[in-house]
Amino acid sequence: MTDAGTSPSVPTQEAKTMAPQMANAIRALSMDAVEKAKSGHPGMPMGMADVATVLFTRFMKFDASAPNWPDRDRFVLSAGHGSMLVYSLGYLLGYDGMTIEEIKNFRQLGAKTAGHPEYGHAPAVETTTGPLGQGLANAVGMALGEAHLAARFGDDVVDHHTYVIAGDGCLMEGISQEAISLAGHLKLRKLIVLWDDNNISIDGPISISDSTDQLARFQASGWATLRVDGHDPEAIAEAIEKAKNSDRPTLIACRTVIGYGSPNKGGTSATHGAPLGVDEIAATREALNWPHAPFEIPEDILSQWRAAGTRGAETRQAWEERIAKNPNCEAFKTAMAGDYAGVLTPAINEYKKGLAAEPQKLATRKASELALNVVNDVVGETIGGSADLTGSNNTKTKNLEVLSADNYAGRYVNYGIREHGMAAAMNGLALHGGVVPYAGTFMVFTDYCRPSIRLSALMGIRVVYVMTHDSIGLGEDGPTHQPVEHLAAMRAIPNLNVYRPCDGVETAECWELSLKTIATPSIITLTRQGLAQARLEHTDENLSARGAYVIAGDDDYDVTLVASGSEVSLAIEARETLAKDGVKARVVSAPCFELFANQPESYRAEILGDKPRIGIEAAIRQGWDIFLGPNDSFIGMSSFGASAPANELFEHFGITVSAVVTEAKRLIG
């Protein structure tokens, strides 16, 4: 099914005549804004202005008056340093909130026009870009989301494309290979990348650092490829039309001149990341036949752009009328709303009751799989996956079919050994909407996907990272696979909830919290080794939501043992040993430092108490100041791990019951 109005507009003779000046409006706004800010990147917007003009006036399905229309085409500016391109488009097309004053305040505090596009700050910005290659990889996730939802709800409801403008830097970054190989393998035919092939980077010509045949690389990854003159509107339009009819994703190499129109700096790295300067801007105005004052767009040109901004209104209205009559309408609205508290909490509580009735000793990675069976049954929008570690991460539950080029309706993605690309694609899935992405790898490989995890947190989107083999407890694989500093590194990222559950009950609670927290991503870090169930009495309340709580002990105590994950059972055993010697210990389980930090001061004071405290975690101490004072103790790691069975490693590194007992007695004198 193809919506009326999604085929390319046939431009009038007037529009054809005005197209060069419409593109020049982008160039003028870009160079003027960068000059006023005294910083920025004018070269890419000036070079890709013709491509953007063709795309938005003749192909993009969107309505500037309804920027969140679910069936709009997505546009991703992967080369985010060229942010004035998308800001110029936002103003010219008439997006609400993108005023000429915002353009004038480019890169200023509080303005929507940040130095790089920020999701949620400015209209028409679909994702936060800047770290090169991230946008391209996000777009793979968006195209994947479109394919999945179209298969689920039908192309009467979901039928749109994802367009990307990417630069040389995006294609040099390693994440690009992970992204394009996944997209080619999945045959995401509605993904179209417009490559700003200008042969220039900051240091000079691309040839000084790279000689890759990019078209051959994309072809080898299963893409169709085209090459055009990026300043020839009709050639650009013809290439986009071919790409829209392709049976695979398409790369269009658009040969452009960076800083197009600048007579002395165009085609050089001088236009990449610095203002052109007053004299060069004057010369550029003359070369482009643009005799208008800074930030002034003639009414005839602006009216053509505003007409393009409303071009999709009729298509949107027809879609709204059509979907209202569609039997999938309510299910689609539910998917796009993404609120699952009503179904999730009762289901998790019933599951917790079963665990209380029949306690289990499990690795928390297995406990996660069991909890996911419940989650995936009641939340039909989850899309799981793993970076080639499905059997180790336990992320594929019994009710999930594999999502493939032959079955986009599946709910499990085999991401392959592409941790970074996987994380970025999950960001794209979440940004697209209608799905809740989760996927797994080993905790140590958060190093490989940290940039994407950071962007999940920066954008405030719901992505769930399942990180197993969370400590030296993974054993014989040794220090290359044993995370030591990784919990601290993840906890250092703002707006990221890092969960480390101690048993099956906490694991289920952490899954519930991860799916109910819409504006914050989550990491659930899980053990390889089996753990005794610590929570034996059922509570309807999700205790993990407090971040930390008393799991064993009472108000009369001599010392508090604070632990997370696998070390909670160690703390409970130490408490029992101390009791034999007349020492009363209280055990606090701390599954999520971030949630504890957000509790009222009175609750935090109650949990911390006024007695000596010992922190216990098979990781480094950094970040534990939330629980420990200068006179408190920490039992954990201060070096890398080693290769040996898990029980021997805990003994070797002194993370033992006897070590806790000895330290507790020392603290209380």
Side-chain angles (χ1 to χ4, degrees), residues 25-86:
I26 295 174
R27 295 183 175 106
L29 288 174
S30 298
M31 66 183 184
D32 289 343
V34 171
E35 184 64 31
K36 187 172 185 296
K38 301 303 179 186
S39 73
H41 301 75
M44 195 283 281
M46 295 175 73
M48 286 296 280
D50 295 305
V51 173
T53 300
V54 171
L55 178 63
F56 275 85
T57 62
R58 296 174 63 172
F59 289 93
M60 279 285 293
K61 183 174 74 168
F62 73 104
D63 179 0
S65 69
N68 296 320
W69 170 28
D71 201 37
R72 69 192 179 279
D73 286 345
R74 270 57 169 183
F75 171 70
V76 174
L77 184 66
S78 188
H81 55 275
S83 56
M84 270 310 305
L85 177 70
V86 72

Side-chain angles (χ1 to χ4, degrees), residues 72-77 119 125-129 134-149 158 160-164 188 190-191 424-433 435 459:
R72 69 192 179 279
D73 286 345
R74 270 57 169 183
F75 171 70
V76 174
L77 184 66
Y119 172 72
V125 173
E126 297 280 6
T127 179
T128 295
T129 55
Q134 288 286 337
L136 173 59
N138 292 166
V140 173
M142 293 178 186
L144 183 58
E146 191 278 342
H148 173 74
L149 291 175
V158 180
H160 53 264
H161 284 74
T162 301
Y163 295 95
V164 183
L188 298 176
K190 292 184 181 178
L191 175 60
M426 285 200 292
N427 283 346
L429 282 164
L431 289 162
H432 181 277
V435 296
M459 290 188 279

Side-chain angles (χ1 to χ4, degrees), residues 149 152-153 157 323 326-338 340 380-381 434-435:
L149 291 175
R152 180 180 176 191
F153 295 111
V157 179
I323 191 177
N326 192 294
N328 290 321
C329 179
E330 291 307 313
F332 180 73
K333 288 181 178 178
T334 297
M336 296 306 294
Y340 307 112
E381 285 70 46
V435 296

Side-chain angles (χ1 to χ4, degrees), residues 193-260:
V193 175
L194 300 150
W195 169 30
D196 181 18
D197 180 18
N198 60 35
N199 276 323
I200 292 292
S201 65
I202 292 175
D203 283 351
I206 294 297
S207 59
I208 67 174
S209 60
D210 190 62
S211 55
T212 303
D213 183 337
Q214 294 290 358
L215 269 63
R217 181 167 76 102
F218 275 75
Q219 289 164 5
S221 296
W223 288 56
T225 61
L226 299 164
R227 184 180 288 283
V228 298
D229 178 346
H231 302 299
D232 181 340
E234 293 311 309
I236 296 164
E238 182 180 348
I240 294 174
E241 179 63 17
K242 285 181 180 177
K244 289 188 68 173
N245 290 304
S246 177
D247 62 352
R248 66 187 83 179
T250 301
L251 172 74
I252 303 174
C254 304
R255 179 54 56 85
T256 60
V257 176
I258 190 171
Y260 182 90

Side-chain angles (χ1 to χ4, degrees), residues 351-366:
Y351 175 68
K352 284 164 57 180
K353 288 177 184 177
L355 290 176
E358 297 182 27
Q360 301 181 51
K361 180 177 181 179
L362 295 169
T364 51
R365 61 171 176 158
K366 181 61 179 178

